[in-house]
Amino acid sequence: MKLISKLLATVFGLGLVPFAPGTAASAVAALGYLLVLHDLSRPLYAAMITFLFLAGVAASAVHAAELGQPDPGCIVVDEVCGQLIALAFLPAAWVPVGVSFALFRFFDIIKPWPIRKLEKIPGGWGIMADDVGAGIAAAALARLVLLIV
């Protein structure tokens, strides 16, 4: 179970890259969306996000406990989930995906209120919740920006 949790929490080792693992995971999620995931039906995309969130809660809780840290940087399943929320149902083109990526990274790094409060939730729920909040904020703002652009 620990190996499965580590694989999922680190997104098959992506979280172990030495520089900016969260940004790397977000970039991989954005590229995956651009190339494949944008073609999923809305219900299937929503189901995928829900499954990823719930599996991420469990896997990140186990892996964080194993490492003895509340939110280790190597856990990046939360960034993948949050980025996919930020991208949900946007056109599969470089500008919308780039705007979504930049806004998600901004909200995930800066963590304005109330996103910062979400990371205080204990265990895997908190690890995942702040990135979901960042994803929702990025999704809303990306749509506004793209209306203007």
Side-chain angles (χ1 to χ4, degrees):
M1 189 65 174
K2 289 181 182 180
L3 177 60
I4 292 170
S5 294
K6 180 179 181 177
L7 286 173
L8 181 57
T10 64
V11 186
F12 301 97
L14 184 59
L16 302 175
V17 300
F19 182 73
T23 299
S26 293
V28 167
L31 187 59
Y33 180 83
L34 192 60
L35 297 175
V36 178
L37 298 174
H38 72 276
D39 278 334
L40 295 177
S41 68
R42 288 177 183 244
L44 186 56
Y45 193 89
M48 177 193 66
I49 295 294
T50 302
F51 174 79
L52 184 61
F53 174 77
L54 294 173
V57 167
S60 59
V62 169
H63 195 54
E66 185 175 339
L67 295 174
Q69 299 174 24
D71 189 357
C74 66
I75 293 178
V76 294
V77 66
D78 52 336
E79 273 84 7
V80 171
C81 189
Q83 183 65 70
L84 291 175
I85 289 169
L87 289 163
F89 318 123
L90 283 177
W94 288 106
V95 170
V97 171
V99 167
S100 174
F101 173 80
L103 289 170
F104 174 72
R105 293 309 301 146
F106 171 79
F107 285 116
D108 188 34
I109 292 166
I110 301 299
K111 294 190 190 325
W113 183 92
I115 295 168
R116 182 156 313 275
K117 286 191 80 141
L118 295 173
E119 74 178 348
K120 304 292 185 212
I121 299 169
W125 293 101
I127 292 171
M128 296 296 294
D130 68 309
D131 290 87
V132 168
I136 292 168
L141 191 54
R143 278 143 183 84
L144 288 174
V145 167
L146 293 168
L147 282 174
I148 297 168
V149 172

